[in-house]
Each structure stands twice: as structure tokens, then as C-alpha cells.
Amino acid sequence: MQDLIRKLLAEMGEDPTREGLLDTPKRVEKAYKFLTSGYDADIDRVLNNALFTVDYSEMVIVKDIDFYSLCEHHLLPFFGKCHVAYIPSTKVIGLSKIPRIVDVFARRLQVQERLSNQIAQTIHNKIAPLGVAVVIEATHLCMSMRGVEKQNSFCVTSAMEGVFRDNTRTRMEFLELIKLRTAAGGSRESTSYACVGDE
Ligand SMILES: [Zn+2]
């Protein structure tokens, strides 16, 4: 990867041999490896048996999870907050594992809609809850830095399954708890389109 970065620097009009840039390829490689480490992550290992049997079915909610990801269209960051809720049927996931699941999928090249869906799908697959909801609010540098559709550089997406999709009261209770009244209200999937990769 370091050779590619040196070539990239030259293509940008830089001199990759000048002092300030000498170690840049090494640093960039290290940074990208970390930012895409989600490809190597094993969800079962991340969860590490932190699944517990319960006999209640109250909503479990983890909100304001900070995340950082890279948009697959421009390789530029998008970042913000992720809110996750589910209603258990027989099992719960250890609370500290929810942000770990978010990281596994955020540390890949992503689009915001898919990130929401993958988090919801993973929880669905692992504990088969009565419903799962994921809302992501994010700022996309590929839009705000480039001055493209500035007003839309902040995007909200949601993935709702089971009772969150079928039951308006459950969905509203969740949205109330995360204090997000825009978007997501009655929709099933994405509520707005983040970086659409048109340029
Ligand atoms: Zn983008």
C-alpha cells in the first residue's frame, strides 16, 4: 500500500520525497488498516458469548454511539451518532457489545443505509428479537468539504424490523427516547440518501 500512497502523492502534485511526506505512506497505510479493520472482524468473536437468556421483553436501547466510517464513493469520512434498540424475545446482548457491533461495520467502506441495515441484521440474526431499530445521524465530509448539497451533508437513515416496523407506538416510543422526531417516522428503510456517489 505504501507504494500506492507515494504514487498518489505524486499524482496530487506533491513531492513524496520531501521531508514532511517521507513517513506519510507508512502512516496512511496504518490509518487505513485501522479504518477498515472491520473486514477482518469476526462477529461471534466480538460478541464472545455475551448473549444472555432473559424472561422479559422491555425495550433495550443504546443511544448516542459515536462512530466513524468511510464513504465508499469517495473514501472520505462520514461520522455521527448511532442509536440502537431492540425488544428481546428470549435473549439479550451484553450492552457493551452493541457499540462493538457498530464498529465492526463502520470500519469498512460504507454507505450509511447499508451500515444501518447491517447492524440491524446482525442483531436480528444473533438473538432473533421481536424487533430491532437502528437510526444513524451522520455528517458526510464528501459533501460538506466539497460544498456539494451542503444542506444535505447531514443525513439520517433508519432500519426498522419486526415490531418497530409494524407497531407505530413502539416506533414512536423509540424515536421519543432518542429525541429524534424528524424522518424515520413512518418509513421502513432509509429516510434520506446520504452521499449518493454521483460525482
Ligand atoms: Zn461520498
Side-chain angles (χ1 to χ4, degrees):
M1 195 186 293
Q2 295 186 31
D3 275 343
L4 288 171
I5 302 300
R6 266 185 288 274
K7 277 183 196 139
L8 181 65
L9 289 168
E11 284 292 327
M12 285 171 170
E14 265 294 355
D15 170 11
T17 63
R18 75 174 169 86
E19 194 183 339
L21 293 177
L22 277 182
D23 287 333
T24 297
K26 204 190 302 173
R27 291 192 202 98
V28 172
E29 179 179 44
K30 198 175 165 198
Y32 271 130
K33 283 206 164 141
F34 176 76
L35 297 175
T36 57
S37 57
Y39 289 113
D40 297 326
D42 175 351
I43 279 287
D44 291 320
R45 206 167 199 174
V46 166
L47 294 179
N48 191 25
N49 297 321
L51 304 181
F52 309 102
T53 303
V54 292
D55 59 359
Y56 60 84
S57 57
E58 301 303 315
M59 188 184 297
V60 175
I61 178 163
V62 184
K63 59 180 193 171
D64 295 326
I65 302 166
D66 289 310
F67 79 92
Y68 297 86
S69 190
L70 288 175
C71 103
E72 70 180 11
H73 302 128
H74 302 93
L75 305 189
L76 286 171
F78 69 98
F79 56 92
K81 304 271 187 202
C82 179
H83 315 287
V84 176
Y86 64 90
I87 296 181
S89 57
T90 57
K91 283 195 155 100
V92 294
I93 298 174
L95 278 184
S96 68
K97 299 297 183 182
I98 302 286
R100 300 285 309 280
I101 295 173
V102 173
D103 280 343
V104 164
F105 293 105
R107 288 177 189 160
R108 299 177 184 196
L109 303 186
Q110 277 291 5
V111 294
Q112 191 176 326
E113 293 84 349
R114 189 172 66 226
L115 179 57
S116 318
N117 285 326
Q118 286 176 330
I119 295 163
Q121 201 57 50
T122 299
I123 293 170
H124 173 89
N125 292 345
K126 291 300 162 191
I127 57 168
L130 299 177
V132 55
V134 175
V135 167
I136 295 180
E137 310 168 81
T139 298
H140 290 249
L141 290 190
C142 61
M143 294 203 277
S144 47
M145 276 183 88
R146 298 187 310 143
V148 184
E149 299 177 66
K150 259 201 165 95
Q151 70 279 14
N152 291 328
S153 63
F154 183 80
C155 294
V156 182
T157 55
S158 69
M160 305 270 177
E161 288 187 8
V163 289
F164 288 94
R165 192 181 58 209
D166 302 334
N167 186 321
T168 310
R169 256 180 60 192
T170 305
R171 183 168 63 241
M172 293 315 289
E173 186 188 343
F174 166 61
L175 295 175
E176 182 67 28
L177 285 166
I178 64 171
K179 295 278 181 246
L180 182 96
R181 269 159 249 195
T182 58
S187 90
R188 295 181 168 217
E189 294 265 327
S190 317
T191 52
S192 68
Y193 290 93
C195 159
V196 289
D198 54 344
E199 288 176 66

